[in-house]
Amino acid sequence: MLASLILIGGALGDKLGRKKIFMAGIFVFITGSAACGLAPTVTLLIVFRIVQGIGGALMIPGSLSLISSSINENERGKAIGTWSAVTTVVTMGGPILGGALADAGLWRFIFFINIPIGIIALLILWQYVKEIKDESGNLSLDFPGAIAIALGLALLTFGFLRIPAIGFNNWQVYCSFAAGLLLLFAFIVIEIKSKHPMMPLHLFTNLTFSGANLLTFFLYAGLGAGMLFLSLNLVQVQGYSQFQSGLTFLPFTLLMITIARYAGGLADKYGPRLLLVIGPAIAGAGLLILSFIKQTPGPSAYFSTFFPGVIVFGLGMSFTVAPLTAAVMGSVSDHFSGTASGVNNAISRIANVFAYAIFGALAVLFFSGALSDHVISLPISASEKHAIMTQTANLGNAKVPPGINAENKVLIEKLYHEGFITAYSKIMKISAALGFLGAVMAFVFIRNTALKKDKVASLSEP
């Protein structure tokens, strides 16, 4: 729901008022959070998570578009850097707090904690923030475009999410992708013909806007896969608790707090291009360093194993996030800031879903490939070998099937760990390559001189 509706949320903010839509999103989100915390069944929990997704889609583009449209453009990068730092604190702090609550069996409080935070945010917005919206007088809503993009993104997201469970070669995946792509094509046709398009396609004629979104896709696909498999490795293979796994990302968070605002200031002063070439390349190098880690003694060895890679990765992302956001928002006129934020957020979330689906399926393929040669030589029955291989779908959480004798059980557990680490290593290397590809996108497409010039040009668009 979040991935499919977030572009609509940004466009609604531009049309109806960014503060109004932002506050509506927060209200829906905390209502959904309260319902999730009280959900008596898994089915109802999923339904209320849908409500959260709707609220998030209205909420997430709002904060950034409010900042972008109300801050002087000469200080916008620094403001976005502050926003990025705060966002990272709560985003990365969530797994630490959530891990502690989950370890204590208090998962419902993961949802309840959103309620007081949301209420405080609503009071601050109501009291201190002015309404900002497109003053062109055109409040027409592009309903056909909204329906097409929402259904198209929803179907693509559903298709990606089904791949790890049922594989590529399944009618559900084929039908979801085909229908999703057809609806996205229909959306483009609708936007071309619409007098008041939800997403003006002329925004993509700005190579900086297009390049920044390509960078976002590749970098956030690598980021999503890297963070996911690093967490799986820590908890499922290396012996970290959920809480300890969350703490491993604390250096990342601290780097974002201390560097993001500084990086945003550099983007204001010198332009974002150089930072957007260097930052993703450093982040890719961090993921590459993490890919070489094998079995470790556990949390006691963190500083000599995972810490260096996390530091390099965090440094790269700290120099990237604020300049990237500033490049996206600075390449369009202020009355398209909500739409630009929605597009960029939608791409980052689609990239994450893409990473989870494709890399999840690849990891199972790599895991089973690393395991099969060893399992073939084991002195056990064919049915037992099949049961062992079936467990590869669980990745690092693979369990030795019942009925295996004690001696072979120890050996198979070792093979599971070694096989997962092999798969983890390959996934992290691919994630690193995506980071490097993001740096290439910045080098090819992003131009510092394009930002203000194209902003003036886009203001003259009819």
Side-chain angles (χ1 to χ4, degrees), residues 72-237:
N72 183 286
E73 66 180 30
N74 295 323
E75 296 182 336
R76 188 170 292 164
K78 190 181 292 184
I80 290 173
T82 304
W83 172 87
S84 300
V86 174
T87 302
T88 303
V89 169
V90 294
T91 302
M92 302 303 293
I96 298 174
L97 179 60
L101 291 170
D103 287 341
L106 302 173
W107 64 268
R108 293 181 184 274
F109 287 89
I110 297 171
F111 296 106
F112 290 144
I113 199 170
N114 295 329
I115 299 170
I117 296 172
I119 291 172
I120 292 169
L122 287 173
L123 290 173
I124 292 172
L125 285 160
W126 174 66
Q127 185 70 29
Y128 296 108
V129 178
K130 294 181 180 179
E131 181 60 279
I132 301 174
K133 63 180 178 179
D134 181 6
E135 298 295 344
S136 64
N138 169 34
L139 298 179
S140 302
L141 298 177
D142 178 15
F143 288 109
I147 293 169
I149 192 65
L151 291 177
L153 290 177
L155 285 165
L156 284 179
T157 304
F158 177 77
F160 282 131
L161 288 174
R162 292 298 290 152
I163 289 173
I166 60 179
F168 292 97
N169 191 23
N170 187 281
W171 68 269
Q172 292 183 34
V173 176
Y174 293 150
C175 291
S176 296
F177 283 166
L181 291 172
L182 186 62
L183 283 165
L184 291 185
F185 178 75
F187 171 71
I188 292 172
V189 174
I190 291 168
E191 297 307 280
I192 290 172
K193 294 184 176 182
S194 176
K195 292 182 179 179
H196 308 294
M198 185 185 74
M199 187 181 75
L201 297 181
H202 70 77
L203 297 178
F204 291 93
T205 62
N206 183 323
L207 290 181
T208 294
F209 180 77
S210 297
N213 281 296
L214 281 172
L215 191 166
T216 298
F217 180 81
F218 291 123
L219 181 62
Y220 278 82
L223 170 69
M227 298 285 275
L228 172 64
F229 281 89
L230 177 57
S231 297
L232 290 177
N233 188 11
L234 291 168
V235 174
Q236 296 182 344
V237 174

Side-chain angles (χ1 to χ4, degrees), residues 364-415:
V364 173
L365 185 65
F366 293 150
F367 188 14
S368 59
L371 197 64
S372 60
D373 292 340
H374 298 286
V375 171
I376 289 174
S377 62
L378 290 176
I380 55 178
S381 68
S383 61
E384 288 175 327
K385 290 177 181 178
H386 176 73
I388 291 168
M389 293 302 298
T390 301
Q391 283 290 316
T392 57
N394 297 322
L395 295 174
N397 203 35
K399 305 295 184 186
V400 178
I404 304 291
N405 64 52
E407 183 180 349
N408 284 330
K409 182 177 180 180
V410 173
L411 175 60
I412 293 166
E413 286 177 346
K414 181 181 178 183
L415 291 176

